[in-house]
Amino acid sequence: MNNNKQTLAIDKLATLPLDHNWYQKLAFNFEIIQSYLDKLDTVELEVDSLKNKFGDMSEKLNIYETNMQAIVNILAKYDVPIQIVNGKVVEIEEGE
């Protein structure tokens, strides 16, 4: 966002005469507000995009972990000495 602080003319509403200059200042207020609303819309779109990406990655990780566990379970049925430790498939000693 813009680091330049812009003040709104509304703060001086009680002391301003209602002439053309006042209406120009009021219109400028809406220009200031609109620029920030536009930036907010952009930020919201970026946040939504990141949420979607995170959801996709989370789902893929879930599938990967489920598949890895299924492989370990199948191999364990055939007495292959492996297990998952800290997210990695490792060979274990017989009897562990």
Side-chain angles (χ1 to χ4, degrees), residues 9 16-27:
L16 289 175
L18 297 180
D19 59 7
H20 182 70
N21 188 31
W22 182 84
Y23 288 111
Q24 286 178 321
K25 288 180 181 181
L26 186 60

Side-chain angles (χ1 to χ4, degrees), residues 67-80 82:
N67 289 342
M68 188 58 65
Q69 187 63 53
I71 291 168
V72 168
N73 292 344
I74 291 168
L75 292 174
K77 286 182 184 178
Y78 292 99
D79 295 325
V80 176
I82 63 170

Side-chain angles (χ1 to χ4, degrees), residues 4 8 13 23 28 33 39-40 62 66 77 88 94:
N4 298 336
L8 302 178
L13 188 60
Y23 288 111
F28 183 68
I33 293 168
K39 289 175 186 176
L40 182 60
N62 235 359
T66 301
K77 286 182 184 178
K88 297 179 182 177
E94 288 290 331

